[in-house]
Amino acid sequence: MEKTEVGVLALQGDVIEHLQALRRAGLTGVEVKTREQLERVDALIIPGGESTTVAKLLDRFALREPLAERVAAGMPTWGTCMGMIVLSKEIVGMPDQPTLGVLDVAVRRNAFGRQVESAEVPLDVPALGGAPFPGVFIRAPWVERAGAGVEVLCRLEGQAVMVRQGNILGTSFHPELTRDTRIHRWFAGWCARARSAA
Amino acid sequence: MAEKGSTGTVKVKRGLAQMLKGGVIMDVTTAEQAVIAQEAGAVAVMALERIPADIRAAGGVARMSDLSIVQKIMDAVTIPVMAKVRIGHFAEAQVLQQIGVDFIDESEVLTPADDKYHVDKHAFTVPFVCGARDLGEALRRIAEGAAMIRTKGEAGSGNIVEAVKHMRTVRDEIAIVAAVPSEELVARARDLGVPLELLKEVARTSKLPVVNFCAGGVSTPADAALMMQLGAEGIFVGSGIFKSSNPAKFAKAIVEATTYFNDPKAVAEACRTLEGTAMPGLEISKIPPDELLNVRGV
């Protein structure tokens, strides 16, 4: 059986950091910039970056619908920070910014404040077990409301910052900027199970 | 978040620059221009009183922008807002940090405030970007705490030649450092005027320890694609957008060319949508030597 290929949406943002983290976790990562590349991958990470920029590029290059369709069809998908915003159903206070609408949450952008409030915070993530996870928050969003099918995996100051809905994972923070590969390896586990099921 | 977390760490400062990669940062002077930039897909805006071409034309002393302009721009957009301080002017930087600017550009485009020293950027929570023409300048700025580097190019010239020179110089010098035997590094660090530890890191990783963008002279989508192919991790456009005859179209096309920089078909498509002319350009040799900006702050 061929190796699982995890795509990293490469329109803008910290793409290389995710590719490097995937390699550290023993996975093969590839850049996804086109529809053809999107069709080939088994799973997808939407990295950190600027959500307004990526939302516009997804529309201009006709990637929004095929991407939303693949996620809805069960492709394991993980959004970090900007990626979680792009996956969400709603952005609080910004109804005009288009999203994929596949993750049943309302997110608040820049929820913790501007860049001077960006911080490193140790996180308690029971699903991972072991030591606290090094949370890196950069102009980060939080999940303000989550639908019934959404499991909250971590909270910070009472706000949801890591959520899962079936095949979709969202984190407000950036595991790809740390040496801790637990979430990348955990996500790899989903990818392997999704492949064997298919 | 402050109660349990650490703000202003190297990781979150360099991290914001990493989130801007593959994107375009645009100079704007009004809230309206900032909205045009955000609509076009800019990843950040640089809030200025005057764009570099106008600073060049006006002459005199160029300082930090009027704070009311910066504040109006911060209120108008949701993307990060950057602003410039004079080289060495740490009090201007303190003021910009105080009002909550997301990134500070310690910039040669403004008139230097200190003829010897740059700002101690480690002392700040807000991240800094600085210009560099070569590896020595880049690593000195990083040693001072810069979280991001950009080429200096020649701001407001509409001429890409200096940015190309600076990007190639840094790239070539990194390649040399990565190739030479380790016993040469101490002497090379001395010659470059940089800390040995930083030079060792460059030798090991074959890259700068922070993100490196292109700035100074980008005026067309093809300019952006050129710089990205030469290794820039993103693009600053100063005068190139609002000195063109169709800013909204130029802004959008430069964003698209930056994303698909290695796909000539997409870049051609972006060029085709311009419906206007680029900003007028200056031949570098025709700029009087005392008006060159890129020689400031070495």
Side-chain angles (χ1 to χ4, degrees):
Chain A
M1 193 163 127
E2 284 174 45
K3 243 187 142 178
T4 307
E5 269 197 350
V6 181
V8 179
L9 188 68
L11 297 180
Q12 189 275 315
D14 70 334
V15 177
I16 291 165
E17 288 76 357
H18 268 296
L19 294 173
Q20 288 166 343
L22 286 168
R23 203 173 311 133
R24 286 198 295 273
L27 286 154
T28 311
V30 290
E31 284 192 10
V32 170
K33 269 190 177 182
T34 65
R35 231 174 143 137
E36 297 70 46
Q37 290 165 335
L38 175 64
E39 277 159 21
R40 280 201 297 271
V41 295
D42 302 297
L44 188 74
I45 292 174
I46 306 180
E50 268 310 309
S51 62
T52 52
T53 302
V54 170
K56 286 176 204 316
L57 291 170
L58 283 173
D59 277 342
R60 277 184 219 160
F61 293 95
L63 285 165
R64 182 145 68 107
E65 274 182 29
L67 178 48
E69 278 167 20
R70 280 221 61 190
V71 182
M75 174 176 67
T77 307
W78 172 18
T80 55
C81 193
M82 171 271 275
M84 181 169 78
I85 297 169
V86 169
L87 288 166
S88 72
K89 197 157 258 180
E90 184 192 340
I91 304 172
V92 178
M94 297 178 192
D96 296 336
Q97 183 175 327
T99 61
L100 295 176
V102 288
L103 177 60
D104 187 15
V105 297
V107 296
R108 181 176 290 278
R109 285 184 55 201
N110 306 332
F112 294 96
R114 303 192 72 98
Q115 170 62 14
V116 288
E117 303 297 329
S118 294
E120 295 183 59
V121 194
L123 298 172
D124 184 25
V125 187
L128 295 176
F133 193 88
V136 180
F137 291 82
I138 297 173
R139 288 172 47 94
W142 68 43
V143 173
E144 195 143 310
R145 291 188 298 276
V150 179
E151 183 187 358
V152 175
L153 298 168
C154 177
R155 286 184 188 276
L156 175 64
E157 295 179 356
Q159 306 292 344
V161 293
M162 180 174 179
V163 294
R164 177 186 186 172
Q165 173 195 310
N167 58 310
I168 308 170
L169 178 65
T171 56
S172 298
F173 49 96
H174 295 281
E176 74 280 10
L177 295 186
T178 73
R179 302 295 296 180
D180 195 321
T181 56
R182 277 182 288 168
I183 300 181
H184 281 87
R185 280 185 283 132
W186 191 51
F187 183 67
W190 300 14
C191 303
R193 278 195 295 282
R195 262 184 84 104
S196 55
Chain B
M1 185 162 346
E3 59 194 59
K4 272 204 308 180
S6 324
T7 56
T9 62
V10 169
K11 200 183 274 291
V12 298
K13 290 201 277 190
R14 291 183 180 178
L16 179 55
Q18 287 168 285
M19 298 310 143
L20 301 174
K21 283 196 294 182
V24 181
I25 300 166
M26 302 181 190
D27 278 6
V28 297
T29 57
T30 64
E32 293 71 36
Q33 289 184 353
V35 170
I36 291 172
Q38 180 169 269
E39 278 304 305
V43 290
V45 289
M46 178 77 70
L48 287 162
E49 216 169 302
R50 280 180 297 202
I51 55 176
D54 292 335
I55 291 174
R56 190 178 278 290
V61 174
R63 313 179 181 91
M64 174 181 77
S65 295
D66 178 342
L67 290 189
S68 67
I69 293 173
V70 179
Q71 189 65 54
K72 276 184 198 142
I73 289 167
M74 286 167 61
D75 294 340
V77 293
T78 59
I79 56 179
V81 176
M82 302 184 164
K84 290 187 195 292
V85 300
R86 286 179 265 178
I87 289 171
H89 206 315
F90 53 84
E92 284 185 346
Q94 288 162 351
V95 166
L96 289 179
Q97 174 168 283
Q98 183 61 39
I99 69 166
V101 159
D102 295 295
F103 228 109
I104 292 177
D105 183 5
E106 187 180 18
S107 177
E108 71 283 359
V109 171
L110 304 183
T111 310
D114 192 318
D115 67 342
K116 282 201 176 67
Y117 306 111
H118 282 70
V119 172
D120 171 16
K121 294 165 276 284
H122 294 291
F124 286 79
T125 307
V126 65
F128 280 71
V129 55
C130 289
R133 295 176 300 174
D134 53 37
L135 184 60
E137 285 187 16
L139 293 183
R140 283 194 293 281
R141 298 298 84 79
I142 293 165
E144 292 156 2
M148 179 180 189
I149 292 294
R150 54 170 176 76
T151 58
K152 286 179 172 170
E154 185 59 24
S157 70
N159 189 337
I160 198 67
V161 66
E162 293 296 305
V164 168
K165 193 201 297 179
H166 302 161
M167 188 56 70
R168 281 195 187 276
T169 302
V170 170
R171 197 176 72 168
D172 292 352
E173 288 176 329
I174 289 174
I176 290 168
V177 165
V180 297
S182 58
E183 67 268 21
E184 292 190 15
L185 291 179
V186 171
R188 286 182 182 270
R190 177 201 60 204
D191 294 344
L192 287 169
V194 303
L196 176 61
E197 287 313 308
L198 277 179
L199 198 66
K200 280 183 175 169
E201 188 179 341
V202 170
R204 195 176 67 243
T205 59
S206 295
K207 64 182 289 300
L208 291 179
V210 303
V211 167
N212 188 17
F213 269 45
C214 161
V218 174
S219 21
T220 66
D223 285 347
L226 170 71
M227 296 312 300
M228 292 296 286
Q229 290 184 55
L230 286 175
E233 295 178 281
I235 302 288
F236 281 89
V237 192
S239 317
I241 289 172
F242 291 98
K243 281 288 172 193
S244 74
S245 66
N246 194 339
K249 290 271 167 64
F250 267 76
K252 187 164 163 281
I254 290 174
V255 168
E256 289 168 6
T258 301
T259 298
Y260 290 98
F261 67 89
N262 50 11
D263 176 356
K265 196 168 152 233
V267 178
E269 199 49 52
C271 293
R272 230 177 258 142
T273 63
L274 291 175
E275 294 174 23
T277 49
M279 70 178 285
L282 294 170
E283 170 64 47
I284 302 295
S285 63
K286 301 277 159 54
I287 301 173
D290 60 339
E291 289 178 19
L292 277 177
L293 301 174
N294 75 56
V295 297
R296 293 168 165 180
V298 299

